[in-house]
Amino acid sequence: MNAPSLNPDWAKLPIFNRSEWKSVRFGDVVENVNETERYPNAAGIERFIGLEHLEPGSLHIRAWGNVADGTTVTRRCSPGQVLFGKRRGYRRKVALSEFDAVVSGDIYVLRPKNDRLLPELLPFICSSERFFQFAVETSSGSMSPRTNWGHLAKFEFALPPLDQQRRIAEILWAVDEVLIAHEDSERSCREAINARLAHTLRPTGNGRKNYFPTKPLSEIACIRTGIAKGKTYPTGLPTIKLPYLRVANVQDGYLDLSEMKTIDIPKTNKERYLLHDGDVVICEGGDFDKVGRGTIWRNQIPECLHQNHVFCLRADRSALMPEFLALQLSSPYAKRYFLGCAKKTSNLACINSTQVKAFLFQLPSLREQQRFVGAADKLESARAELLSNHTAVMNMLKALIRALS
C-alpha cells in the first residue's frame, strides 16, 4: 500500500478560497458550556471523562471512567460537543463527545454559539496549530499551566461561509475515517503480538513460575539517561549542534520524527548522549497506559542524541537481542511492572532509571529469542506499514487544517 503524498497546493483549492471568509473571535461563535449534573447516577449518566482519557492527536474518546466507581466531577457533556483540555495545552488534547458524560474541571466543553459555525467543523478548528499555540501562550501557572476561557475566547480566525464549511468538514471527517481504519488495523496487530507475549512471558505468583530465568535488566543492558535541556557547560569548549530525541518523538512501538529539535553541546559530550543502531528508547513518563512506551532506534537520523526524559537501553548482544528487548518492554508483563512502581499524579505516571534497572527481565536463550522475534516479524512489518501510512494520512490532515486556519 503506497502512503498518500502531500499536495503543497491544497490551500489553493476552491474550498479554501478566502475571499468571503470573515475574521471572528472564538468567543463570538463558540460558547463554553457550563451545564452541571450533581447526581449523574440518578440522571442515567454512566461515564466520566478525565484528561487522561483524551488522547493527543485523536478526536475520539476510547477510554473513560465509571461513575459508579465514584467521582466528584459534575460538569456535563453531551454528544456532538467538543472537549478541550485546558491544563497543559501543549499536550494537544481535544476530542468530540459521542455520549453523555460528566467531565473533569480541567476540560472545557464547547459548542457553537449560533448558526454561523457548523458543529462538524469546530473540532478541527480546536485542533489547529494556531489554536494550540494561542492556548499555550495565554496559559498561566508554572507547574500545571492552564488557559482560561476569557483568553481563549479572544482567539481570532477566519470563518468560511456555511457552504464551504460543510464541504471542508466533509473532507476532514473522511480523512479522519481513514485514520481510524489504520488505527484499528494497527491495534489488531499489536494485540496479536501482545497475546503471544502474554502467553510466553507471565508473572510469577499463584503457583505459577516463569518459563525462563530472570535477571535485573541492568545486568544485560546498559541503561542511560539523556541530555538535559538548558544544562550549562564550561565556557570556551568547542560545541556542535545536533538533533535530539524527545518524549514527543517516542510513541508506542514507533518513532514520530516529523518534528525534530536541535541542541548545542560540547563536542566532548557527544558520545555520552549519542544513540546507536539497535538502542531501545523508552519514555520515563506519560498517561497511565503509556508509561514506559518505546521502540528501537535504527539510525533514522545520523548523529542523534536523546533527552533526559528518554532512557536509552543498550543490550548486551551476547545474551540479548535488541528486538526481543523492545518486544518484552512493550509486553503486558512489563506494562504492569512500570505502572505498578510509577510515581502517579492525577493523570500522569513517571518511572525512574532505578526502576528500569530493577525490572526482572525474562531471558530465553538467543535461539529462543530469534524464534520469537522471527514469528513476530511479519506482524511487526504489517504494523510498521500501517503506522507509516497513518503518519502520512495524519500529515495530510494537519496540512488541510493548516489551510483552514
Side-chain angles (χ1 to χ4, degrees), residues 31-199:
E31 63 178 331
N32 176 26
V33 182
N34 268 314
E35 295 177 355
T36 59
E37 184 56 70
R38 299 180 65 85
Y39 305 103
N41 261 326
I45 297 176
E46 300 177 349
R47 293 175 275 198
F48 76 85
I49 301 168
L51 274 180
E52 68 273 20
H53 300 129
L54 303 186
E55 186 178 341
S58 175
L59 292 176
H60 303 277
I61 300 169
R62 297 186 177 88
W64 50 81
N66 295 314
V67 169
D69 294 336
T71 180
T72 59
V73 300
T74 59
R75 175 175 288 189
R76 178 173 184 160
C77 72
S78 302
Q81 295 174 338
V82 175
L83 309 182
F84 180 79
K86 66 179 179 180
R87 181 156 66 101
R88 297 191 179 101
Y90 57 84
R91 302 196 69 219
R92 302 169 183 241
K93 293 196 169 190
V94 57
L96 180 70
S97 175
E98 297 173 325
F99 47 80
D100 291 304
V102 286
V103 304
S104 162
D106 284 322
I107 296 174
Y108 284 131
V109 179
L110 308 174
R111 69 184 176 196
K113 193 174 188 177
N114 44 51
D115 60 5
R116 297 172 64 189
L117 172 64
L118 283 182
E120 295 84 357
L121 195 62
L122 178 56
F124 298 104
I125 294 171
C126 295
S127 299
S128 71
E129 184 66 24
R130 285 186 60 243
F131 188 79
F132 283 128
Q133 286 180 352
F134 188 87
V136 171
E137 290 168 0
T138 56
S139 294
S140 58
S142 55
M143 296 297 292
S144 187
R146 293 171 170 83
T147 185
N148 65 60
W149 175 247
H151 286 140
L152 206 59
K154 296 176 183 177
F155 172 71
E156 294 186 6
F157 67 102
L159 184 67
L162 285 173
D163 60 335
Q164 283 182 265
Q165 289 185 44
R166 190 169 293 106
R167 292 166 64 195
I168 292 171
E170 287 173 355
I171 291 172
L172 294 175
W173 281 114
V175 176
D176 183 76
E177 285 185 16
V178 177
L179 286 174
I180 292 175
H182 282 149
E183 290 167 5
D184 289 344
S185 298
E186 185 274 330
R187 191 177 300 111
S188 296
C189 288
R190 186 171 67 241
E191 288 173 353
I193 294 170
N194 282 342
R196 187 175 179 87
L197 284 165
H199 175 75

Side-chain angles (χ1 to χ4, degrees), residues 265-336:
I265 65 165
K267 291 182 178 180
T268 53
N269 291 58
K270 181 182 77 171
E271 185 58 37
R272 167 66 180 81
Y273 304 111
L274 194 65
L275 291 170
H276 292 185
D277 183 55
D279 285 346
V280 175
V281 289
I282 65 171
C283 295
E284 70 168 12
D287 293 335
F288 291 161
D289 62 336
K290 295 291 194 301
V291 64
R293 72 181 188 270
T295 189
I296 299 181
W297 176 256
R298 291 298 189 191
N299 272 354
Q300 291 92 334
I301 299 174
E303 296 199 311
C304 184
L305 314 178
H306 63 106
Q307 71 167 179
N308 57 321
H309 299 301
V310 175
F311 299 121
C312 169
L313 285 63
R314 192 164 294 161
D316 174 0
R317 299 199 185 192
S318 67
L320 177 60
M321 296 176 63
E323 295 83 0
F324 188 75
L325 171 59
L327 281 170
Q328 186 163 160
L329 290 177
S330 69
S331 71
Y333 166 67
K335 296 293 186 185
R336 281 192 296 269

